[in-house]
Amino acid sequence: MRLGCTSVRLNTVVATTQAPIRPDSTRLALAMLLARTAVWISQRVLRRSGGVIGGRVIVKLVPGAGEMLAAGRRVALVSGTNGKSTSTAMLAAAWATEGPLSTNSDGANTPAGLVWTLANARTTAVVLEVDEAWVPWAIRTFGPEVVVLLNLARDQLHRNPEVGRLARAWRDALSAVPTVVANADDPWVAWAAQTAQHQIWVGAGQIWDEDSLICPECGELLDRTDGWSCTCGHSRPACDWTISDGVIVPPSGSSLSYITLPGPGNLGNAAQAVAAATLMGADPEAAAAALAGVTAVAGRYATVRVGDHDVMLVLAKNPASWRASLELLATRRNALVLAFNADGADGRDPSWLYDVDFSELRGLQVTLCGNRATDLAVRLEMDGVEVTGQYGDVRGALHALPPGPVDLLATYTAFQDARRELGRAA
Amino acid sequence: MQPDPVNIVVVYPKLLGLYGDRGNAAALRHRAAARGIEATVLEVAPGDPIPEQADIYLVGGAEDGSMAAAAKLLERQPGFVRAVGAGAPCLAVCAGFQLLSREYVGMDGPRPGLGLLDVTCSRLTGPRAVGEVVTRSEIDGSRLLGFENHQGDAVLGPAARPLGIVEVGRGNGHEGHEGAQQGSVIATYLHGPVLVRNPALADLLLTRAVGRELEPYLDSRVERLRRERLSAAGSLRTRLLRRA
Ligand SMILES: [Zn+2]
């Protein structure tokens, strides 16, 4: 029985923790104590979330803490420019059909947050969302059994100015990984995934092709008429898993329905999550069924009642996800609040607004907020979209709209602001 | 009488469009429309011929791989070099700036550029230049605002003049210069996109394209954007001065 298998692994971990106490594990225990104190202060006194601070304390005091904490565990990593939080939640739900697991559902996806998640994990199975730039580090540190690779596109260009450089770093690091579950439709991802020992290819689709028009292998222009291929012979791999119209098709061929979260991007995410969970031992049908429970990941797509408004919260961080989200929202025809910031995680240069076509929003009632709402107002003016008003915060932008359903689309930090604000208001 | 439309050609936006470079075409079209002038925008797909009869050419930014692919394609487009050499207005941004220079650093070391600018680009010393920029325009003395994100520098030869003098930011990395102007070419490292944040520069290109003065047009949203960016860069400058 599958569950029996899991409990055997759990016993292995218990045996590890009962091994003779090494000096470095004493040190780790001490570091944990200090870290917990730091988190307590951060949460109670400074009213912050604290996990990242705890991780920082541990990493500072015990340099090899990540490796030690990952030893004896079954680790799965999830990364990519778009959809990694959702896909991580999906994989966690799908794999949890096999037994308990831990995951960084707080979205803290850089070393400190990852180490903190492991430090508090009481399970063998761990699913970690990893920031794209930290994938090589996470592979070296945690020795994952599987890495799920979704897509690579422009995002936070002030920090990661070259998609190709990220892909190269992934490719170098992935040679140490037993299996990747990789999106075959993304040329950079497919190229990076080649070095892993085994590949499970998923035809998860690609919403944004403008960062992958040239061949990662030889630099020539790719032929993108049907999938992608190059004269050098590098081309889209044949897929083990595919998607079509609300359905995930596993290698066995029997379709698994997926309708929970909207949009083709989420269907692709679901396919990759189910493929990875299946690899880890889950039953595909059970894994797919478990995805129905993944509805609002860290508040995304959640609907909250605020005064006279039912507000659906949508997060979109970069041009690829704004394009996909606007496509979805334009068909709903609800009044819109667009919340736009240009702080760290949003990308400090909002030029990418011009990679997004807003003309579908013409005729909708639109209000704006966020610290860079003026950049967005100018953008909308150029696409002929009327703006009802520009406000200092989300509540102001909401109040200006008639009662009823409202969709709120926000950049990363604007989304956090909106959740805090509406959390108080709701 | 209906004036002739202004034909704007965007060179390979799918390769040279990393920083919302299409926005420069949008800004031109918007400001032309405000004067009752129609503007057409043609986005040239990689591999397609670049028309030689355009009124304005736009060449945008890219990462190294896409820039190399674009460079290879441009070598086979002598019509583009002829048109700009003969005086067609051209805006070149970031990788575009480098591609139009005499020489730049590609993925495998120095490479000859198209030579439309008497400029040599190599690597900027120190960290990558990333952040808000304010320069004083060498064309009309106005403030040019933008966001830079590059590892390249630019040394101007005698035939080229700077586009602006840096007040905040790094620019070309030499002599306080930012960008270059020579003949009908305006080149810069500034994003934002640059013609959105700097309507005077957009109007200069349009004026050259239509061959007559344009009536003034003040876009209140853009003016608000300029005030915001100028004050953000101003506080940045104060911080830098305090640190120095
Ligand atoms: Zn190739």
PDB file of all heavy atoms in Angstrom, chain A residues 215-222 229-234, ligand 1:
ATOM      1  N   CYS A 215      16.994  30.317 -30.628  1.00  0.00           N
ATOM      2  CA  CYS A 215      17.349  28.977 -30.175  1.00  0.00           C
ATOM      3  C   CYS A 215      18.351  29.059 -29.020  1.00  0.00           C
ATOM      4  O   CYS A 215      19.413  29.648 -29.164  1.00  0.00           O
ATOM      5  CB  CYS A 215      17.950  28.201 -31.336  1.00  0.00           C
ATOM      6  SG  CYS A 215      18.515  26.569 -30.858  1.00  0.00           S
ATOM      7  N   PRO A 216      18.006  28.476 -27.871  1.00  0.00           N
ATOM      8  CA  PRO A 216      18.932  28.504 -26.737  1.00  0.00           C
ATOM      9  C   PRO A 216      20.242  27.779 -27.060  1.00  0.00           C
ATOM     10  O   PRO A 216      21.281  28.102 -26.495  1.00  0.00           O
ATOM     11  CB  PRO A 216      18.169  27.758 -25.637  1.00  0.00           C
ATOM     12  CG  PRO A 216      16.749  27.781 -26.050  1.00  0.00           C
ATOM     13  CD  PRO A 216      16.751  27.796 -27.542  1.00  0.00           C
ATOM     14  N   GLU A 217      20.164  26.846 -27.979  1.00  0.00           N
ATOM     15  CA  GLU A 217      21.319  26.014 -28.303  1.00  0.00           C
ATOM     16  C   GLU A 217      22.295  26.748 -29.229  1.00  0.00           C
ATOM     17  O   GLU A 217      23.491  26.785 -28.985  1.00  0.00           O
ATOM     18  CB  GLU A 217      20.812  24.728 -28.979  1.00  0.00           C
ATOM     19  CG  GLU A 217      21.852  23.672 -29.224  1.00  0.00           C
ATOM     20  CD  GLU A 217      22.389  23.050 -27.942  1.00  0.00           C
ATOM     21  OE1 GLU A 217      21.596  22.893 -26.983  1.00  0.00           O
ATOM     22  OE2 GLU A 217      23.590  22.762 -27.882  1.00  0.00           O
ATOM     23  N   CYS A 218      21.780  27.378 -30.318  1.00  0.00           N
ATOM     24  CA  CYS A 218      22.688  27.926 -31.325  1.00  0.00           C
ATOM     25  C   CYS A 218      22.480  29.422 -31.603  1.00  0.00           C
ATOM     26  O   CYS A 218      23.267  30.031 -32.317  1.00  0.00           O
ATOM     27  CB  CYS A 218      22.559  27.135 -32.632  1.00  0.00           C
ATOM     28  SG  CYS A 218      21.028  27.467 -33.494  1.00  0.00           S
ATOM     29  N   GLY A 219      21.420  30.030 -31.061  1.00  0.00           N
ATOM     30  CA  GLY A 219      21.221  31.468 -31.233  1.00  0.00           C
ATOM     31  C   GLY A 219      20.490  31.868 -32.501  1.00  0.00           C
ATOM     32  O   GLY A 219      20.234  33.050 -32.720  1.00  0.00           O
ATOM     33  N   GLU A 220      20.149  30.899 -33.360  1.00  0.00           N
ATOM     34  CA  GLU A 220      19.385  31.231 -34.570  1.00  0.00           C
ATOM     35  C   GLU A 220      17.915  31.468 -34.209  1.00  0.00           C
ATOM     36  O   GLU A 220      17.459  31.068 -33.138  1.00  0.00           O
ATOM     37  CB  GLU A 220      19.473  30.079 -35.581  1.00  0.00           C
ATOM     38  CG  GLU A 220      20.834  29.932 -36.259  1.00  0.00           C
ATOM     39  CD  GLU A 220      21.192  31.120 -37.153  1.00  0.00           C
ATOM     40  OE1 GLU A 220      20.287  31.652 -37.811  1.00  0.00           O
ATOM     41  OE2 GLU A 220      22.373  31.507 -37.163  1.00  0.00           O
ATOM     42  N   LEU A 221      17.182  32.103 -35.124  1.00  0.00           N
ATOM     43  CA  LEU A 221      15.752  32.299 -34.901  1.00  0.00           C
ATOM     44  C   LEU A 221      15.033  30.952 -34.909  1.00  0.00           C
ATOM     45  O   LEU A 221      15.267  30.125 -35.790  1.00  0.00           O
ATOM     46  CB  LEU A 221      15.163  33.150 -36.023  1.00  0.00           C
ATOM     47  CG  LEU A 221      15.216  34.656 -35.871  1.00  0.00           C
ATOM     48  CD1 LEU A 221      14.603  35.289 -37.111  1.00  0.00           C
ATOM     49  CD2 LEU A 221      14.468  35.101 -34.629  1.00  0.00           C
ATOM     50  N   LEU A 222      14.168  30.748 -33.934  1.00  0.00           N
ATOM     51  CA  LEU A 222      13.389  29.511 -33.903  1.00  0.00           C
ATOM     52  C   LEU A 222      12.233  29.599 -34.889  1.00  0.00           C
ATOM     53  O   LEU A 222      11.694  30.672 -35.125  1.00  0.00           O
ATOM     54  CB  LEU A 222      12.811  29.282 -32.503  1.00  0.00           C
ATOM     55  CG  LEU A 222      13.771  28.879 -31.388  1.00  0.00           C
ATOM     56  CD1 LEU A 222      13.023  28.886 -30.053  1.00  0.00           C
ATOM     57  CD2 LEU A 222      14.378  27.511 -31.659  1.00  0.00           C
ATOM     58  N   SER A 229      11.024  24.838 -33.233  1.00  0.00           N
ATOM     59  CA  SER A 229      12.099  23.989 -33.730  1.00  0.00           C
ATOM     60  C   SER A 229      13.170  24.867 -34.349  1.00  0.00           C
ATOM     61  O   SER A 229      12.924  26.027 -34.680  1.00  0.00           O
ATOM     62  CB  SER A 229      11.570  23.003 -34.769  1.00  0.00           C
ATOM     63  OG  SER A 229      11.073  23.718 -35.883  1.00  0.00           O
ATOM     64  N   CYS A 230      14.357  24.313 -34.473  1.00  0.00           N
ATOM     65  CA  CYS A 230      15.476  25.065 -35.020  1.00  0.00           C
ATOM     66  C   CYS A 230      16.173  24.224 -36.082  1.00  0.00           C
ATOM     67  O   CYS A 230      16.132  22.994 -36.043  1.00  0.00           O
ATOM     68  CB  CYS A 230      16.456  25.415 -33.898  1.00  0.00           C
ATOM     69  SG  CYS A 230      17.893  26.341 -34.472  1.00  0.00           S
ATOM     70  N   THR A 231      16.829  24.920 -36.997  1.00  0.00           N
ATOM     71  CA  THR A 231      17.560  24.209 -38.051  1.00  0.00           C
ATOM     72  C   THR A 231      18.691  23.361 -37.467  1.00  0.00           C
ATOM     73  O   THR A 231      19.140  22.414 -38.096  1.00  0.00           O
ATOM     74  CB  THR A 231      18.153  25.209 -39.059  1.00  0.00           C
ATOM     75  OG1 THR A 231      18.807  26.251 -38.320  1.00  0.00           O
ATOM     76  CG2 THR A 231      17.080  25.832 -39.932  1.00  0.00           C
ATOM     77  N   CYS A 232      19.139  23.699 -36.241  1.00  0.00           N
ATOM     78  CA  CYS A 232      20.228  22.927 -35.635  1.00  0.00           C
ATOM     79  C   CYS A 232      19.729  21.587 -35.098  1.00  0.00           C
ATOM     80  O   CYS A 232      20.509  20.757 -34.642  1.00  0.00           O
ATOM     81  CB  CYS A 232      20.916  23.715 -34.520  1.00  0.00           C
ATOM     82  SG  CYS A 232      19.977  23.787 -32.980  1.00  0.00           S
ATOM     83  N   GLY A 233      18.422  21.368 -35.144  1.00  0.00           N
ATOM     84  CA  GLY A 233      17.886  20.086 -34.694  1.00  0.00           C
ATOM     85  C   GLY A 233      17.232  20.155 -33.322  1.00  0.00           C
ATOM     86  O   GLY A 233      16.497  19.251 -32.927  1.00  0.00           O
ATOM     87  N   HIS A 234      17.504  21.242 -32.596  1.00  0.00           N
ATOM     88  CA  HIS A 234      16.891  21.411 -31.281  1.00  0.00           C
ATOM     89  C   HIS A 234      15.418  21.730 -31.492  1.00  0.00           C
ATOM     90  O   HIS A 234      15.077  22.648 -32.233  1.00  0.00           O
ATOM     91  CB  HIS A 234      17.617  22.563 -30.571  1.00  0.00           C
ATOM     92  CG  HIS A 234      17.241  22.741 -29.137  1.00  0.00           C
ATOM     93  ND1 HIS A 234      17.322  21.724 -28.219  1.00  0.00           N
ATOM     94  CD2 HIS A 234      16.787  23.820 -28.456  1.00  0.00           C
ATOM     95  CE1 HIS A 234      16.933  22.174 -27.033  1.00  0.00           C
ATOM     96  NE2 HIS A 234      16.608  23.445 -27.161  1.00  0.00           N
TER      97      HIS A 234
HETATM   98 ZN    ZN C   1      19.398  25.959 -32.871  1.00  0.00          ZN
END
